[in-house]
Amino acid sequence: ADARPPNMIPLPEIRLAALIVADNAISISKKDIPKEVVNLFDAGKITPKMKARVNMAVDELVSRDYLLIEGDKVSVNSEFGKEKGGN
């Protein structure tokens, strides 16, 4: 199947891809996430618009505490996915 053009990838999929990239990385900086997300989608060369969309998705994930930024490194919050108030 042909890869979708980057502008056809919905923001929820970009957010999920950013989580996958951060989770699979031993160490990754925020500036490297857009390139890795584009590679995950096999969407070709990263465009300024796609880079901005990925950065927006990462910022949303940080604001919702799914991703953490420590220094210049991004990681998945270890509490992500755990049930609140139990088990």
Side-chain angles (χ1 to χ4, degrees), residues 36-85:
E36 295 304 321
V37 166
V38 169
N39 288 341
L40 198 61
F41 284 111
D42 194 27
K45 186 177 178 192
I46 188 162
T47 64
K49 183 176 181 179
M50 184 63 175
K51 183 176 181 180
R53 292 180 76 213
V54 173
N55 284 329
M56 181 173 63
V58 169
D59 290 342
E60 285 180 23
L61 291 166
V62 169
S63 72
R64 294 177 183 177
D65 292 328
Y66 291 112
L67 290 177
L68 303 173
I69 297 180
E70 298 171 26
D72 67 339
K73 301 300 177 191
V74 177
S75 61
V76 175
N77 186 340
S78 62
E79 298 298 312
F80 173 65
K82 293 183 181 176
E83 291 185 42
K84 293 188 177 194

Side-chain angles (χ1 to χ4, degrees), residues 22-48:
D23 193 41
N24 288 336
I26 294 171
S27 176
I28 192 160
S29 67
K30 185 179 177 187
K31 70 178 184 63
D32 291 332
I33 292 178
K35 178 179 164 255
E36 295 304 321
V37 166
V38 169
N39 288 341
L40 198 61
F41 284 111
D42 194 27
K45 186 177 178 192
I46 188 162
T47 64

